[in-house]
Amino acid sequence: MTDENKSSYRSIFKATSLFGGVQVYQILIQIIKSKFVAVLLGPAGVGIMGLYQSGLQLIQQLSSMGLSQSAVRDVSEANGSNDMQRIAKTVTVVRKLVWITGLLGLVLVVCFSPLLSKASFGNYDYTIPFIILSVTLLLDQLSAGQKVVLQGMRRLKDLAKCSAFGVTFGLFTSVPLYYWLGIEGIVPTFLLSSVCTLLLSWFYSRKIKIEKVKVTPKQTFEHGKLMLVMGVSMSLSGILNTAVAYALRGFIQANGGVEQVGLFQAGFIIMTTYVGMVMNAIATDYYPRLAAINKDNQKCREAVSQQGEIGVMILAPMLTICLVFMPFVLKILYSDRFLAANEYISWACLGMMLRLSSWVISFLFVAKAESKLFMINELSANLYYLVFSLIGYKTFGLVGLGIAFALEYVVYFVQCYLIVRKRYDFSFSNSFIKCYGIQLLLIITCLVIVLLLDGWLKYTTGSVIIAISCYMGFKGLNEKLELLSLVKPVSYTHLRAHETAA
């Protein structure tokens, strides 16, 4: 392996570890915060918070136009060119656009505040609070613009600090306000949280020296048109995901009751939030890195395969552990009443592994700003996921939902691969195919063990598979990153020091 490849793998692993740690920290802080909120505000207060958030998020999804995602591509591409004028112009356009879209969100909430109050609470008593909270859409959009610059310019440590300090300040500001004001503290807390996030993002983004350039409104529109088109596509994809999730939960409730929805929701959160944090951590660095080289298909092939390998080596051992020990996880996070979700989660673990291979490919559509192709791809994926899920639940119950999740990503992978193969002459490296194939086989073996065996036999044989998966993952990481070389010199120096002292 060349030194350049080793450097690439190390960069990928370092970024994934950094943002993986941040995600774990954010989840822990969120758990602590949720506990305080539940105790201080009670079910009614938690419900009011949820209704405020739902109403505001709906408007935000429409008004933000997906800039927090799509603009990263343009900033990354400009940064990759090393053209200071281009970088300055792109960042200036992004900052102007977030002001425009942020103000649009503020105005929409103010205009529709009576309707939001009526739809959310059944009366108009919350119209004024919604008007006050409209400011948060502007503040949050401005924060998103600053974070786009940090991510696109690859200032990953600053971005990680911004995220970590943001959730920490959110905890330490919200708890005293809820203790002091109770339910009346919800609106001030939302406002203060948005202000803190904006100040932090501004503090870190101002460290980046950007030349001042004059950009006219016409130039802003012309330069930002591609960002907005891609952003709207990504925003519509998010709305589509929400609509499919809503329809599926409604179907489960109609055919199985609220308890079945709760079991599905618990399993879904474990997969997307706790296990899915690996992919979220990967995306923070992977997306801007891929966007910066999007014109070079050869470099894109290398980046996708390298990112896929690191992802497999980290994710696969986690999935084998989840497969074997999920009953204990469900008891810790929820209670014995949620053990019925275990078989759904088992099949979903296989789905997550299949998702990784298609997920690393699908970023090519975003990195290359193929907005139409991206939308068609996501629309078809959502449609057959919904169909598979409806048929699966009607036939096999919760287990059928897990099978549908896995089946979706088999079809999605084939779909994505055929498109990128033809359009970008893409193919995975032999190294990725070998690494992924071995770990996928181990996960399938682990799934069979969990489904067919029980008691000590399941845990014993399952632990063997976990050990093999962890060994293969560590071995692969060591080959790519030379992890042991970082330990051996320290041990040798330490030994020599003792010999000299003697």
Side-chain angles (χ1 to χ4, degrees):
M1 186 188 298
T2 64
D3 289 339
E4 186 180 348
N5 280 339
K6 286 180 183 177
S7 178
S8 296
Y9 280 113
R10 282 175 180 164
S11 175
I12 293 167
F13 181 74
K14 188 177 180 180
T16 303
S17 302
L18 175 66
F19 285 99
V22 170
Q23 292 241 324
V24 170
Y25 179 73
Q26 287 178 317
I27 290 170
L28 290 174
I29 291 295
Q30 190 58 46
I31 290 170
I32 295 169
K33 185 179 177 180
S34 298
K35 186 68 174 180
F36 274 109
V37 170
V39 172
L40 295 173
L41 301 187
V46 174
I48 291 171
M49 281 180 62
L51 290 169
Y52 277 140
Q53 287 172 332
S54 298
L56 293 172
Q57 283 174 357
L58 177 63
I59 301 294
Q60 190 175 45
Q61 278 187 317
L62 296 171
S63 64
S64 66
M65 298 186 184
L67 275 175
S68 61
Q69 297 170 295
S70 64
V72 173
R73 174 196 174 276
D74 293 75
V75 176
S76 300
E77 194 173 31
N79 185 46
S81 70
N82 293 317
D83 183 338
M84 300 311 295
Q85 276 289 104
R86 183 182 175 187
I87 293 170
K89 185 178 179 182
T90 304
V91 170
T92 303
V93 168
V94 170
R95 286 174 172 166
K96 284 179 178 289
L97 288 176
V98 293
W99 267 103
I100 294 168
T101 51
L103 287 169
L104 175 62
L106 185 152
V107 171
L108 286 175
V109 172
V110 170
C111 292
F112 291 103
S113 55
L115 184 61
L116 287 169
S117 178
K118 181 68 175 176
S120 301
F121 298 97
N123 55 56
Y124 298 105
D125 297 346
Y126 294 85
T127 300
I128 298 301
F130 269 115
I131 291 174
I132 296 171
L133 287 172
S134 66
V135 179
T136 64
L137 269 72
L138 173 60
L139 298 176
D140 290 346
Q141 189 68 347
L142 294 177
S143 301
Q146 306 287 16
K147 290 178 180 178
V148 162
V149 176
L150 288 171
Q151 188 176 356
M153 299 292 287
R154 304 290 301 282
R155 298 294 288 263
L156 302 182
K157 286 186 179 179
D158 286 340
L159 184 59
K161 288 176 185 177
C162 184
S163 301
F165 286 136
V167 294
T168 305
F169 288 156
L171 174 66
F172 287 115
T173 55
S174 62
V175 172
L177 279 171
Y178 290 141
Y179 179 78
W180 177 36
L181 299 173
I183 291 176
E184 297 299 320
I186 293 175
V187 172
T189 298
F190 279 18
L191 281 171
L192 189 57
S193 177
S194 293
V195 170
C196 287
T197 303
L198 177 58
L199 290 175
L200 279 166
S201 63
W202 173 81
F203 174 77
Y204 285 107
S205 66
R206 75 185 178 91
K207 294 180 180 181
I208 304 172
K209 302 302 179 185
I210 304 292
E211 294 180 17
K212 289 187 177 181
V213 293
K214 188 176 181 181
V215 180
T216 65
K218 183 180 179 181
Q219 288 174 321
T220 300
F221 176 76
E222 289 175 351
H223 195 77
K225 186 178 178 182
L226 186 62
M227 293 185 209
L228 292 172
V229 170
M230 192 68 225
V232 168
S233 298
M234 297 177 81
S235 185
L236 288 174
S237 175
I239 294 170
L240 183 61
N241 288 336
T242 303
V244 168
Y246 182 78
L248 180 57
R249 282 160 179 76
F251 182 81
I252 295 170
Q253 182 179 3
N255 289 270
V258 177
E259 188 171 326
Q260 288 279 293
V261 177
L263 293 171
F264 170 70
Q265 182 70 8
F268 188 79
I269 288 173
I270 288 173
M271 284 293 101
T272 56
T273 302
Y274 302 123
V275 179
M277 70 182 178
V278 174
M279 294 184 187
N280 293 332
I282 288 172
T284 308
D285 172 62
Y286 177 47
Y287 176 27
R289 188 158 42 82
L290 196 62
I293 56 171
N294 74 83
K295 298 287 193 298
D296 190 325
N297 285 340
Q298 176 59 34
K299 287 184 177 179
C300 283
R301 284 195 291 272
E302 291 173 2
V304 171
S305 293
Q306 288 173 350
Q307 187 66 75
E309 282 185 73
I310 296 296
V312 168
M313 293 169 193
I314 296 172
L315 183 64
M318 287 179 59
L319 291 173
T320 57
I321 293 169
C322 284
L323 274 163
V324 178
F325 295 105
M326 186 50 64
F328 297 103
V329 175
L330 286 167
K331 286 181 182 180
I332 293 168
L333 293 178
Y334 297 98
S335 68
D336 290 350
R337 295 174 62 188
F338 286 84
L339 289 174
N342 187 45
E343 284 197 24
Y344 159 72
I345 295 173
S346 296
W347 281 98
C349 283
L350 174 60
M352 288 298 287
M353 187 64 177
L354 296 167
R355 179 186 180 187
L356 178 65
S357 57
S358 54
W359 182 81
V360 291
I361 300 174
S362 65
F363 265 92
L364 285 168
F365 305 136
V366 184
K368 290 177 177 289
E370 298 259 28
S371 54
K372 289 183 180 179
L373 186 57
F374 172 79
M375 270 307 297
I376 293 170
N377 193 54
E378 294 302 307
L379 175 63
S380 59
N382 274 283
L383 288 176
Y384 54 66
Y385 169 63
L386 181 60
V387 171
F388 291 161
S389 296
L390 297 180
I391 295 172
Y393 184 72
K394 196 71 175 175
T395 309
F396 302 109
L398 280 175
V399 179
L401 292 174
I403 296 171
F405 186 77
L407 184 59
E408 177 207 1
Y409 284 107
V410 172
V411 179
Y412 186 61
F413 170 76
V414 173
Q415 174 179 299
C416 288
Y417 187 79
L418 290 177
I419 293 171
V420 297
R421 176 75 177 174
K422 183 177 181 180
R423 202 171 185 88
Y424 315 127
D425 191 29
F426 176 84
S427 61
F428 278 116
S429 67
N430 292 332
S431 180
F432 171 83
I433 294 170
K434 180 182 176 182
C435 172
Y436 184 80
I438 291 171
Q439 290 287 10
L440 180 61
L441 184 61
L442 288 170
I443 287 172
I444 292 171
T445 304
C446 206
L447 176 62
V448 172
I449 288 170
V450 168
L451 294 177
L452 298 182
L453 303 180
D454 203 1
W456 68 269
L457 193 58
K458 180 184 84 169
Y459 293 114
T460 303
T461 52
S463 295
V464 172
I465 301 299
I466 291 172
I468 296 171
S469 180
C470 289
Y471 169 75
M472 295 301 297
F474 180 79
K475 181 185 176 186
L477 287 173
N478 185 53
E479 288 175 356
K480 306 298 181 186
L481 311 173
E482 296 184 349
L483 296 176
L484 292 178
S485 67
L486 302 176
V487 179
K488 286 178 180 179
V490 175
S491 302
Y492 179 74
T493 304
H494 186 67
L495 179 63
R496 292 293 299 168
H498 274 286
E499 288 176 353
T500 304

